Amino acid sequence: MATVTTTTTTTSGPSLGISIDRGYVNTLFGRFNILMLAINAICFICVAAQPWSAYIPPQGWFYFVCVTGFWSALIELFLGLCRIQDRMVRVVPWKLGLLIFCGLWSFFYLTAASAVTHYAVNYSNKDGWYAGTVFGFIATIIYGIVAYYRLLDWKGVSPVSVNQPA
């Protein structure tokens, strides 16, 4: 009598469901996203609270930079929480896109904060404009730092393993 042994192997593909990764907020880029959300909101509030700000020329550019930065950081946070970015890497060069966006927004905040600074010198209610200027330059620095870490991530260097000078 002959014995026949059959082996069944099942393989499963990638999961298509969306799950929330609560640990993303504790990662470097998750913290950067929350920081960018906060700084964009603060910049917007500083300039929006000024009287007659709708009639001032640099206000439109500053609003555009703040609001677009806020919504892009919010969308990026949502994509990171749902781990959709990891799935889109094969289809879209996601890391390169984020690197270019952060570099551009660093430059855009530099120009917007400079325009607001120039206008604040000749405006009677200067407090909100100067606050917008200060937070705009802080946002420039933050977006520049995020762009640097995005560059490291794009090159495949872990940001944690970069040697810090003593």
Side-chain angles (χ1 to χ4, degrees):
M1 191 174 291
T3 322
V4 178
T5 307
T6 58
T7 307
T8 306
T9 307
T10 47
T11 58
S12 62
S15 173
L16 297 177
I18 294 177
S19 61
I20 302 295
D21 179 21
R22 294 184 182 141
Y24 177 74
V25 179
N26 294 327
T27 64
L28 180 68
F29 293 122
R31 289 180 181 164
F32 277 145
N33 280 339
I34 292 172
L35 182 62
M36 288 186 296
L37 276 172
I39 197 71
N40 284 312
I42 290 170
C43 287
F44 176 76
I45 290 169
C46 286
V47 175
Q50 287 300 302
W52 301 98
S53 64
Y55 302 106
I56 297 169
Q59 163 268 345
W61 175 238
F62 201 81
Y63 278 174
F64 170 77
V65 173
C66 295
V67 171
T68 307
F70 178 82
W71 283 107
S72 64
L74 189 65
I75 290 169
E76 185 182 345
L77 181 66
F78 174 73
L79 293 176
L81 283 172
C82 295
R83 303 193 56 87
I84 295 175
Q85 291 177 343
D86 298 338
R87 297 178 189 148
M88 291 175 51
V89 170
R90 294 181 184 162
V91 179
V92 178
W94 196 258
K95 292 180 181 181
L96 179 62
L98 289 175
L99 166 65
I100 292 170
F101 178 80
C102 289
L104 271 176
W105 241 250
S106 180
F107 176 72
F108 286 170
Y109 257 115
L110 178 68
T111 60
S114 299
V116 169
T117 303
H118 176 71
Y119 191 78
V121 173
N122 300 320
Y123 191 61
S124 61
N125 296 330
K126 298 179 181 186
D127 298 335
W129 291 108
Y130 283 137
T133 298
V134 169
F135 286 113
F137 284 123
I138 290 172
T140 300
I141 293 168
I142 290 171
Y143 271 101
I145 292 169
V146 173
Y148 171 72
Y149 281 110
R150 290 286 182 193
L151 176 68
L152 292 179
D153 187 39
W154 178 62
K155 285 187 168 187
V157 179
S158 175
V160 178
S161 67
V162 176
N163 292 332
Q164 302 284 335

